[in-house]
Amino acid sequence: RNQIVLQDAKSLVQLRRLHVACVLDKAKTSAEHRWIARHLSDPYVKAARQNNYRCRSAFKLLEIDEKYKILHPGHCVIDCGAAPGAWSQVAVEKVRFSDGDFQASAGFVIGVDLLHISPLEGAVFLSNSDITDPVVQDKIINLLPSGQADVILSDMAPNASGIRKLDHQRLVNMCLSLLDLSDKVLRPGGTFLCKLWDGSESNLIRDRLRQRFSDVRNVKPKASRTESAETFILAKLHK
Ligand SMILES: C[S@@+](CC[C@H](N)C(=O)[O-])C[C@H]1O[C@@H](n2cnc3c(N)ncnc32)[C@H](O)[C@@H]1O
């Protein structure tokens, strides 16, 4: 594709149509076909491409931050389940000062994921790392410039088994482990944002958060698909 010299915008449109047709052709099942078709026509996927975000989820965080103002210049942010890195991209944009200064006082983003995360200027990544592992949590604490974080973000999700109750329980367990991390590193007044797949244990997480934070609410950004069980819990004012 890189070898093709595009003469004009028409060629670009034709090339894109050809690419879409090829991708759809490769889908094996009708579910795959539906997923790819939806993905290719998704306005957030297009916007992510246009704005150089690594994936559409960037817009979930942008929307939440726009409304609740959780990320500020100078903040230290931990991004849990960071791959491919779109939330970290947003966090880096928000925590640096407008002159683009990345000095120690100018904000710090640390991203952690089981998968590899490609480097990003302004962020430190712990790839191939399990955030629930106490050794990884100690590494994070040692990396934080002041030993404390202003914000913990989690868009983390286990590989879905398709069994809704089981997937919900696994994500709840991950969130509980992040509460241990927040007890260790989150400064008083700090913010915690985590993804949940709604289910019977969601209230447990909300109750645990209310013990630790003064302001706890559910958030469902428009970029999160309505048909998805995905919801976010935003907890502000760490006690
Ligand atoms: C929906 S993706 C995150 C997308 C990311 N917020 C972004 O904007 O690029 C969820 C990620 O959680 C990661 N994950 C799941 N369990 C994890 C764990 N125990 N420790 C670290 N990362 C985990 C997965 O590997 C996956 O990359």
Side-chain angles (χ1 to χ4, degrees):
R1 185 167 144 176
N2 290 342
Q3 289 164 358
I4 297 173
V5 180
L6 294 171
Q7 305 288 357
D8 49 32
K10 206 171 150 201
S11 316
L12 189 61
V13 171
Q14 279 168 351
L15 187 66
R16 172 122 189 89
R17 281 203 191 119
L18 185 68
H19 172 70
V20 170
C22 289
V23 172
L24 283 171
D25 205 36
K26 277 188 191 153
K28 291 188 185 78
T29 64
S30 59
E32 277 178 13
H33 201 279
R34 270 200 311 277
W35 187 92
I36 292 168
R38 189 182 62 179
H39 184 78
L40 292 172
S41 62
D42 184 328
Y44 292 105
V45 172
K46 285 182 190 155
R49 209 180 296 124
Q50 280 159 2
N51 291 280
N52 288 324
Y53 285 124
R54 296 182 182 185
C55 63
R56 71 187 293 291
S57 59
F59 293 98
K60 299 177 195 174
L61 182 58
L62 281 168
E63 219 182 303
I64 294 170
D65 186 59
E66 174 71 29
K67 188 159 179 192
Y68 298 103
K69 312 282 180 237
I70 59 176
L71 299 165
H72 296 280
H75 267 170
C76 279
V77 178
I78 305 174
D79 181 10
C80 309
W87 276 31
S88 291
Q89 287 179 290
V90 172
V92 165
E93 283 166 15
K94 300 283 177 181
V95 304
R96 70 179 167 202
F97 290 109
S98 49
D99 62 359
D101 182 6
F102 285 117
Q103 300 307 306
S105 61
F108 182 81
V109 176
I110 174 163
V112 184
D113 204 288
L114 292 174
L115 304 176
H116 173 75
I117 323 168
S118 300
L120 172 71
E121 191 188 352
V124 173
F125 289 141
L126 296 179
S127 293
N128 312 313
S129 302
D130 183 345
I131 188 87
T132 64
D133 178 347
V135 176
V136 173
Q137 297 196 356
D138 284 346
K139 257 192 211 169
I140 294 172
I141 295 169
N142 290 330
L143 281 168
L144 288 169
S146 66
Q148 283 202 310
D150 299 283
V151 182
I152 297 180
L153 303 173
S154 171
D155 188 25
M156 215 165 39
N159 282 334
S161 69
I163 305 167
R164 201 170 161 150
K165 212 171 161 184
L166 177 68
D167 291 336
H168 165 69
Q169 190 58 57
R170 288 170 65 201
L171 190 46
V172 164
N173 290 343
M174 286 177 165
C175 292
L176 289 174
S177 145
L178 294 185
L179 287 183
D180 292 341
L181 178 68
S182 82
D183 289 343
K184 289 186 220 161
V185 302
L186 198 60
R187 71 160 170 82
T191 301
F192 180 92
L193 172 69
C194 75
K195 173 158 83 182
L196 259 192
W197 288 325
D198 221 0
S200 58
E201 300 284 303
S202 300
N203 280 338
L204 172 76
I205 299 288
R206 276 190 278 271
D207 289 346
R208 294 277 174 91
L209 284 169
R210 283 199 186 100
Q211 289 163 5
R212 294 166 167 85
F213 295 83
S214 303
D215 180 355
V216 177
R217 64 184 75 213
N218 288 345
V219 181
K220 176 89 176 169
K222 288 196 194 81
S224 174
R225 296 187 170 106
T226 19
E227 70 274 20
S228 154
E230 169 184 273
T231 183
F232 292 86
I233 304 187
L234 174 62
K236 290 175 87 175
L237 302 174
H238 189 226
K239 293 176 190 169

